[in-house]
Amino acid sequence: MALKFQNPIEIASLVCVLEDAVKKLIIVEKLHKPAVRANSQRGNAFLTRNSTTQILRITRDELLESGSYRCLKAYVQKQSDQQHKNANLNESHSQVLVEIKNAKKSIEDITRSGKQALQEETNTISEIVDDIQGELSCNAARMSLAERWEDAREQQNMFKCQMEEAKIETKVQEAVAAIDSEHRVDAEIENYLHLAIAKLKDEIENWTKRYDEEIAEREAELASLMETRNAALEKLERLNSEFTGRQKEIEDYLATKEDLRRSKEREEYLNKMATKIQAWWRGTMVRRHLGPYKYFSKIARPQKKGKGKKK
């Protein structure tokens, strides 16, 4: 729906309807409750008062001036929001009442169970008190018996301690005598050790002197042996050098001798092969009458007498 009317006829008809409604509402208000004074300013009237009559008047004036009814629409929207809020408040109130009822029921249940638990605890405490009194009586009897028992044990222990004390005194006297004897033995052993130490010191000095003398002799022998060794090493090096030279000469001689032997064997082999080749070739020339032997075929060979020759 548009918020503003352009047709004056529609505006006039709406204004008439609103005036009629205002008049009827004024009559109803006069019949049921005192009249309410209207504010002089129309803008503040809507904000300060929510009466239907005032809203209708403001709407009528707004239609006459601008041809719109925003004030009425805002009032309707406000009333709708207020109703929605009231509905929400009623719903919340109902929920709160239900929760309060449930809480009261829970409190009653807790109180009832608490009373039962308290009664049970009271009964338990009474039983515990009775048990404690019985235990106290038993403990008193046990304490009396224990005191008499401890007195008897104390006397018995004192007797045992006296006997043990006598035994310990005897052992102490024996230990003192043994300690005196050990002191005398220790003194004699100490004297013996002093004498033995003095003797060992003399022997150590003698052995040290002999050691020094032997070390000097061994060092002299070692020096002589080192000189001999160095001379032998020099001679060995000289002999090694000479041996190396001679060995190289021998190797060269053996290599030369081997080369000569191989050359001689090869020459002999070649001569032998040449002789064989010459003999083979000479035989071939003779058999085939080649070269200087080609005239040998013309020489008449003597014929042998035949067995069947006619006379």
Side-chain angles (χ1 to χ4, degrees):
M1 183 182 290
L3 296 177
K4 190 173 182 181
F5 293 97
Q6 300 294 334
N7 193 350
I9 297 173
E10 292 179 355
I11 294 172
S13 61
L14 287 173
V15 168
C16 291
V17 172
L18 290 173
E19 288 179 352
D20 188 18
V22 168
K23 290 178 181 180
K24 291 180 180 180
L25 287 173
I26 290 171
I27 293 170
V28 171
E29 288 177 359
K30 287 180 179 180
L31 292 174
H32 293 283
K33 59 182 179 179
V36 180
R37 293 183 179 180
N39 196 342
S40 60
Q41 297 179 359
R42 288 175 295 176
N44 294 329
F46 174 71
L47 297 174
T48 57
R49 303 179 64 86
N50 292 324
S51 65
T52 306
T53 304
Q54 191 68 25
I55 293 300
L56 291 175
R57 287 177 180 175
I58 293 170
T59 304
R60 181 194 61 188
D61 295 338
E62 189 176 5
L63 284 171
L64 291 173
E65 290 178 359
S66 61
S68 63
Y69 56 96
R70 289 187 180 88
C71 183
L72 180 61
K73 188 172 181 64
Y75 175 75
V76 172
Q77 184 66 34
K78 184 176 180 180
Q79 291 297 323
S80 177
D81 294 339
Q82 187 66 31
Q83 289 178 0
H84 184 66
K85 289 180 181 179
N86 291 333
N88 291 332
L89 289 174
N90 291 330
E91 185 177 357
S92 300
H93 181 66
S94 300
Q95 292 178 357
V96 170
L97 290 176
V98 172
E99 291 178 357
I100 290 171
K101 185 177 180 181
N102 293 330
K104 287 181 178 180
K105 186 176 180 181
S106 300
I107 291 169
E108 290 176 357
D109 295 337
I110 292 169
T111 303
R112 191 181 302 107
S113 61
K115 288 180 179 180
Q116 292 177 358
L118 182 61
Q119 185 64 34
E120 292 176 357
E121 292 293 334
T122 303
N123 296 332
T124 304
I125 290 169
S126 299
E127 293 176 357
I128 292 171
V129 169
D130 294 336
D131 293 338
I132 290 171
Q133 289 178 355
E135 288 293 330
L136 290 174
S137 300
C138 293
N139 289 333
R142 291 173 184 171
M143 184 64 69
S144 177
L145 180 61
E147 288 177 355
R148 291 195 297 271
W149 174 262
E150 290 297 329
D151 292 337
R153 285 187 63 189
E154 184 179 0
Q155 293 177 1
Q156 185 179 4
N157 289 331
M158 287 179 66
F159 179 72
K160 288 181 179 180
C161 289
Q162 290 175 358
M163 293 179 66
E164 291 293 332
E165 186 177 358
K167 291 180 181 179
I168 290 170
E169 287 180 356
T170 303
K171 290 181 180 180
V172 167
Q173 292 175 359
E174 293 176 355
V176 169
I179 289 170
D180 293 336
S181 177
E182 287 181 359
H183 284 317
R184 289 193 299 271
V185 172
D186 290 339
E188 293 177 358
I189 291 172
E190 187 175 358
N191 293 328
Y192 171 76
L193 290 175
H194 285 305
L195 295 174
I197 289 169
K199 185 178 180 181
L200 289 173
K201 285 182 178 180
D202 294 336
E203 290 181 356
I204 288 170
E205 290 178 357
N206 293 329
W207 281 107
T208 303
K209 185 177 180 181
R210 290 180 61 183
Y211 171 77
D212 293 336
E213 292 175 355
E214 288 183 0
I215 288 295
E217 293 176 358
R218 296 295 180 271
E219 287 179 352
E221 291 179 0
L222 181 62
S224 177
L225 291 173
M226 289 296 293
E227 291 178 357
T228 305
R229 177 179 174 276
N230 292 330
L233 287 174
E234 291 178 357
K235 185 177 180 180
L236 180 62
E237 289 178 357
R238 187 172 60 256
L239 291 174
N240 284 331
S241 177
E242 186 177 356
F243 173 76
T244 303
R246 296 293 176 83
Q247 187 177 10
K248 186 175 181 181
E249 291 177 359
I250 291 169
E251 289 177 354
D252 294 339
Y253 170 74
L254 292 175
T256 304
K257 185 177 179 180
E258 182 68 19
D259 293 338
L260 292 173
R261 185 184 65 78
R262 290 179 180 177
S263 298
K264 186 177 180 180
E265 288 179 354
R266 180 175 179 78
E267 186 176 357
E268 290 177 355
Y269 177 75
L270 292 175
N271 291 331
K272 185 177 180 180
M273 292 297 106
T275 302
K276 287 183 178 181
I277 292 170
Q278 288 176 359
W280 171 77
W281 179 245
R282 188 179 294 111
T284 302
M285 291 175 68
V286 170
R287 286 191 299 272
R288 297 188 179 185
H289 308 289
L290 298 175
Y293 303 102
K294 63 182 179 178
Y295 299 105
F296 286 181
S297 60
K298 296 179 180 181
I299 298 174
R301 294 181 180 179
Q303 295 182 355
K304 295 181 179 181
K305 293 180 179 182
K307 293 181 180 181
K309 190 176 179 180
K310 294 180 180 181
K311 292 181 178 181

